[in-house]
Amino acid sequence: MNTIKQLTIKNDRNQPIKSISHQDIYSLHDLLEQLNSWQNALNLLNDFFSDKQRPVNKKKIASNYYACSQIFCAFHNEFSQALQEMEKQITELRQKEKVKY
């Protein structure tokens, strides 16, 4: 038995509310998961750049530098694309049809 629940929204000013589809929500959720997937790599970069051990182990730094720079470049590119996508999605959501309840 499927029951449809009606959502009642208190709208004191009788202002229309934007219609947001499940697809809009899933799209934003996918983008959030994409950004969250970088958490481990960013923690690795944080560890590399916040290593304050003395004396400095130059061989260790040299061997890890290239890998860290590649991780950062990949993240920077993906993050820039994600920001553009998020801006696009926000613009689309702002332009959504308003529904009067």
Side-chain angles (χ1 to χ4, degrees):
M1 216 186 252
N2 289 341
T3 340
I4 297 175
K5 294 182 181 180
Q6 185 174 359
L7 179 64
T8 306
I9 299 173
K10 184 177 180 183
N11 191 356
D12 292 336
R13 297 182 191 133
N14 277 339
Q15 293 180 353
I17 299 170
K18 293 191 186 267
S19 170
I20 299 175
S21 70
H22 283 286
Q23 182 61 37
D24 295 330
I25 295 168
Y26 289 130
S27 182
L28 284 174
H29 182 263
D30 289 345
L31 188 57
L32 179 62
E33 282 192 357
Q34 179 183 358
L35 292 174
N36 278 332
S37 72
W38 280 98
Q39 197 164 8
N40 288 337
L42 291 175
N43 286 336
L44 178 72
L45 288 177
N46 185 50
D47 290 345
F48 176 75
F49 288 112
S50 64
D51 185 9
K52 305 292 184 211
Q53 283 186 346
R54 301 287 181 235
V56 174
N57 185 340
K58 292 179 185 177
K59 284 186 179 183
K60 180 181 174 189
I61 291 173
S63 67
N64 290 337
Y65 177 81
Y66 179 77
C68 289
S69 70
Q70 293 300 302
I71 291 171
F72 175 77
C73 288
F75 169 75
H76 185 264
N77 290 335
E78 190 167 321
F79 186 75
S80 296
Q81 290 174 356
L83 280 179
Q84 291 173 358
E85 181 65 28
M86 190 176 291
E87 287 174 358
K88 178 182 165 192
Q89 288 177 0
I90 289 172
T91 301
E92 289 173 1
L93 288 174
R94 285 184 175 158
Q95 295 173 351
K96 285 282 185 179
E97 177 184 348
K98 294 181 180 180
V99 179
K100 189 141 182 156
Y101 287 92

